[in-house]
């Protein structure tokens, strides 16, 4: 009798490579279903994508969402989520979930922090309590949350950082990644991704990538980008880092969500993206449209009874006008925030659907030119997000 080989929890299937750009069309298989890549993941920081229900996320074709380890550890507590049956049951979402490691929040939210080899000592950004997060603790929390994809606990260095600082940081991130792998209690149910660091230094990115690939994670992320560096530096780093990542595993660029960066990232071989940008700017009345950036609160939309974007298929654009959405935001009606959030999220999800179609047709380079022209990225002093 032959023993059946158990499939790993996360598997990447390459469907096609774009002849024009080298971009990858693929499918990531997880315990809670599969999703096509390249893809944009809406961010549900505290077990909810702000203002959206799980049903609406499905309606807009979100294949996977992201939740935040740090915030769920503080509130309601990973023990409560575990008792509820895991994050999927807790928030009523039956599709894939990725959880970050909490590292970025420790470094960005806490004014006081002390990095030691065992982990990071810092203060709770809510009440000032002293807290400690280590690779082992990050794994324990994520094991309790039960996400499909977990992220290793890494150091998130600032930009710019010196070569010496970055080298020490890369070495620490590698040591922490090993500890994460050893502490991971559910490797048959949850895939753990390693995070490649190294700032803008090619040599350090290579050092980080080689060390992590040797640890044989089921997927890899590029961290330390979209932290204030110019777009051309980010693209340059992607160009030399993506080829260092295994071709048979998912490649995830963390914290990136502007339309130009999603297209640029896909062209450089990235499969997964996430960012709070679409919902954050939506709450201020800034919208993404096929013609470029729109600030819906502007007076010129007061009597504009057309959809936000004639070319958009989202619920908001099908049912409501610019004048109405502007009115809701100016009167601080919650429904306005829901409509703008829905639109921006669907805009990015649809953008990635179009990117995937362009890869199928070997025309992603042409698609980029057309999109950038229409969106206004090619104009001098173009306003970006």
């Amino acid at each position: 009798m032959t023993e059946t080989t158990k499939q790993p929890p996360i598997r990447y299937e390459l469907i096609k490579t774009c002849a024009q750009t080298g971009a990858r069309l693929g499918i990531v298989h997880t315990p809670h279903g599969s999703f096509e890549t390249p893809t944009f993941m809406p961010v549900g920081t505290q077990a909810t994508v702000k203002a959206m229900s799980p049903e609406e996320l499905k309606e807009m074709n979100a294949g996977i969402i992201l939740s935040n380890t740090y915030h769920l550890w503080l509130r309601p507590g990973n023990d409560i989520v575990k008792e509820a049956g895991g994050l999927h049951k807790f928030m009523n979402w039956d599709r894939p979930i990725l959880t970050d490691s909490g590292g970025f929040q420790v470094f960005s939210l806490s004014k006081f922090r002390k990095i030691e080899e065992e982990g990071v000592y810092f203060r709770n950004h809510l009440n000032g309590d002293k807290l400690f997060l280590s690779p082992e603790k990050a794994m324990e929390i994520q094991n309790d949350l039960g996400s499909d994809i977990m992220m290793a606990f890494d150091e998130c260095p600032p930009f710019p950082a010196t070569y010496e600082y970055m080298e020490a940081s890369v070495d620490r991130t590698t040591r922490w990644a090993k500890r994460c792998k050893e502490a991971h209690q559910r490797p048959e149910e949850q895939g753990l991704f390693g995070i490649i660091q190294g700032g803008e230094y090619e040599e350090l990115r290579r050092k980080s990538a080689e060390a992590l690939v040797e640890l044989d994670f089921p997927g890899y992320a590029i961290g330390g980008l979209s932290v204030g560096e110019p777009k051309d530096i980010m693209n340059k780093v992607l160009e030399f880092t993506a080829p260092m990542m295994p071709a048979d595993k998912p490649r995830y660029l963390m914290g990136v969500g502007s339309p130009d960066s999603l297209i640029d990232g896909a062209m450089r071989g990235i499969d997964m993206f996430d960012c709070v940008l679409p919902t954050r700017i939506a709450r201020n009345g800034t919208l993404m449209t096929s013609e470029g950036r729109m600030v819906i609160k502007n007076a010129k939309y007061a009597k504009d009874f057309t959809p936000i974007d004639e070319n958009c298929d989202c619920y908001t654009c099908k049912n409501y006008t610019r004048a109405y959405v502007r009115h809701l935001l100016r009167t601080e009606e919650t429904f306005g925030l829901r409509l703008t959030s829905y639109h921006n999220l669907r805009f990015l999800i649809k953008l990635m659907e179009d990117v995937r179609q362009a890869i199928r047709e070997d025309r992603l380079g042409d698609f980029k030119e057309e999109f950038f022209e229409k969106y206004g990225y090619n104009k001098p002093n173009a306003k970006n997000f």
Side-chain angles (χ1 to χ4, degrees):
M1 186 174 160
T2 353
E3 194 181 328
T4 357
T5 318
K6 199 171 168 65
Q7 293 276 24
I10 304 299
R11 288 178 296 115
Y12 176 74
E13 182 185 350
L14 178 65
I15 303 299
K16 179 175 172 48
T17 302
C18 176
Q20 196 178 51
T21 62
R24 293 147 50 98
L25 177 72
I27 300 175
V28 176
H29 302 282
T30 85
H32 286 88
S34 305
F35 58 90
E36 288 190 321
T37 61
T39 197
F40 175 78
M41 302 183 282
V43 177
T45 302
Q46 311 201 69
T48 177
V49 175
K50 279 191 170 45
M52 295 291 100
S53 71
E55 291 73 24
E56 287 166 324
L57 291 168
K58 286 180 181 179
E59 187 178 76
M60 66 178 75
N61 201 27
I64 174 173
I65 61 171
L66 181 144
S67 276
N68 186 269
T69 293
Y70 170 81
H71 288 287
L72 295 175
W73 174 37
L74 299 188
R75 296 183 300 190
N78 49 297
D79 52 337
I80 288 178
V81 176
K82 183 181 181 181
E83 197 176 326
L87 197 49
H88 292 87
K89 282 191 178 172
F90 188 56
M91 64 182 292
N92 189 34
W93 175 256
D94 59 5
R95 291 183 181 180
I97 298 176
L98 181 149
T99 46
D100 59 14
S101 69
F104 180 76
Q105 284 68 34
V106 168
F107 291 95
S108 63
L109 292 177
S110 180
K111 288 173 188 171
F112 161 84
R113 61 179 175 271
K114 190 180 179 189
I115 307 167
E116 301 284 2
E117 187 57 35
E118 64 265 31
V120 186
Y121 295 87
F122 62 102
R123 290 194 183 277
N124 181 332
H125 76 287
L126 298 170
N127 59 19
D129 284 355
K130 287 183 181 176
L131 293 172
F132 173 68
L133 193 56
S134 65
E136 291 77 14
K137 187 66 183 173
M139 293 301 96
E140 179 195 323
I141 298 164
Q142 292 183 83
N143 282 154
D144 285 350
L145 297 176
S147 51
D148 299 273
I149 299 173
M150 304 162 50
M151 301 306 299
F153 186 64
D154 62 328
E155 183 186 347
C156 305
F159 177 86
T162 65
Y163 186 93
E164 292 69 30
Y165 181 92
M166 194 61 77
E167 185 169 34
S169 172
V170 161
D171 290 342
R172 181 182 293 115
T173 286
T174 300
R175 292 192 298 271
W176 283 0
K178 288 176 183 168
R179 286 166 55 189
C180 284
K181 194 167 181 188
E182 286 164 10
H184 184 9
Q185 294 298 307
R186 302 173 65 186
E188 292 185 351
E189 302 162 277
Q190 296 173 275
L192 173 62
F193 283 21
I195 304 175
I196 298 166
Q197 290 288 358
E200 60 190 296
Y201 306 105
E202 183 171 359
E203 191 184 326
L204 294 182
R205 287 283 179 182
R206 186 170 301 284
K207 183 180 185 180
S208 179
E210 285 175 354
L212 293 176
V213 169
E214 202 175 309
L215 290 171
D216 194 27
F217 290 105
Y220 292 88
I222 300 176
L225 290 179
S226 196
V227 288
E229 80 284 353
K231 289 280 172 89
D232 58 334
I233 288 186
M234 179 169 84
N235 286 335
K236 185 180 162 192
V237 171
L238 290 179
E239 269 165 29
F240 60 65
T241 306
M244 301 171 186
M245 304 163 86
D248 61 345
K249 293 180 179 180
R251 300 167 175 174
Y252 165 31
L253 175 57
M254 305 178 80
V256 168
S258 63
D260 58 333
S261 293
L262 294 180
I263 297 171
D264 280 337
M267 286 178 70
R268 288 161 177 82
I270 301 300
D271 307 307
M272 298 162 63
F273 305 83
D274 82 282
C275 195
V276 295
L277 176 76
T279 47
R280 179 174 285 166
I281 64 172
R283 295 194 294 278
N284 298 323
T286 301
L287 299 170
M288 302 172 179
T289 79
S290 56
E291 303 292 332
R293 180 175 178 269
M294 175 188 287
V295 180
I296 195 70
K297 286 181 180 178
N298 288 351
K300 65 179 178 179
Y301 300 117
K303 295 181 181 179
D304 188 336
F305 305 113
T306 61
I308 287 166
D309 187 345
E310 296 278 4
N311 299 310
C312 180
D313 61 3
C314 84
Y315 169 81
T316 303
C317 291
K318 281 181 185 170
N319 294 286
Y320 301 99
T321 65
R322 296 171 177 185
Y324 181 63
V325 173
R326 177 182 182 270
H327 156 71
L328 292 177
L329 291 180
R330 284 177 57 79
T331 52
E332 299 184 350
E333 286 290 343
T334 313
F335 189 45
L337 306 180
R338 285 177 33 73
L339 291 178
T340 53
S341 297
Y342 194 117
H343 169 79
N344 276 354
L345 286 168
R346 174 59 192 157
F347 182 86
L348 290 187
I349 289 168
K350 174 69 165 59
L351 173 62
M352 299 317 280
E353 291 171 0
D354 294 343
V355 163
R356 294 196 294 269
Q357 188 57 32
I359 296 172
R360 280 186 192 95
E361 296 167 3
D362 292 316
R363 56 176 302 277
L364 185 56
D366 297 337
F367 174 83
K368 175 188 168 170
E369 278 183 34
E370 291 159 16
F371 183 88
F372 275 40
E373 185 60 42
K374 204 172 175 193
Y375 205 86
Y377 282 127
N378 298 336
K379 293 173 190 164
N381 308 315
K383 283 186 177 176
N384 200 341
F385 298 103

